Amino acid sequence: MSAKTDKIKEMLEMQKKFTAKEHASGVTQEEYYTPEAGSELDGYRQKYRDLAMEVIDLAHKEAGSER
């Protein structure tokens, strides 16, 4: 499996967990944007963003383009 595929799978798994939490107990803006240290959402946005940027970079590399 390619690195890009692995990263996309990880992103999808993160989305599933987030959606499950949201459906089970809801997610406030505070929990999402300023989560408490050690909470389920601590670092979520940053990690997801980093994975998304890595996928974009890999896609550009595959296509021979630049962003």
Side-chain angles (χ1 to χ4, degrees):
M1 217 177 298
S2 74
K4 185 174 79 171
T5 301
D6 290 339
K7 291 179 188 314
I8 291 170
K9 281 187 174 189
E10 186 174 353
M11 291 170 69
L12 290 171
E13 199 55 42
M14 289 176 71
Q15 288 177 352
K16 282 183 192 178
K17 288 179 183 178
F18 178 85
T19 302
K21 177 179 175 32
E22 185 178 34
H23 287 193
S25 60
V27 176
T28 66
Q29 289 180 352
E30 289 80 14
E31 287 176 303
Y32 185 75
Y33 290 105
T34 57
E36 292 183 21
S39 74
E40 286 182 76
L41 295 177
D42 187 19
Y44 176 85
R45 287 185 322 113
Q46 295 82 355
K47 181 173 175 100
Y48 194 88
R49 179 205 57 219
D50 292 347
L51 286 168
M53 296 309 292
E54 290 171 18
V55 168
I56 290 169
D57 290 340
L58 290 168
H60 276 292
K61 186 176 179 181
E62 284 178 7
S65 62
E66 296 179 13
R67 62 175 166 132

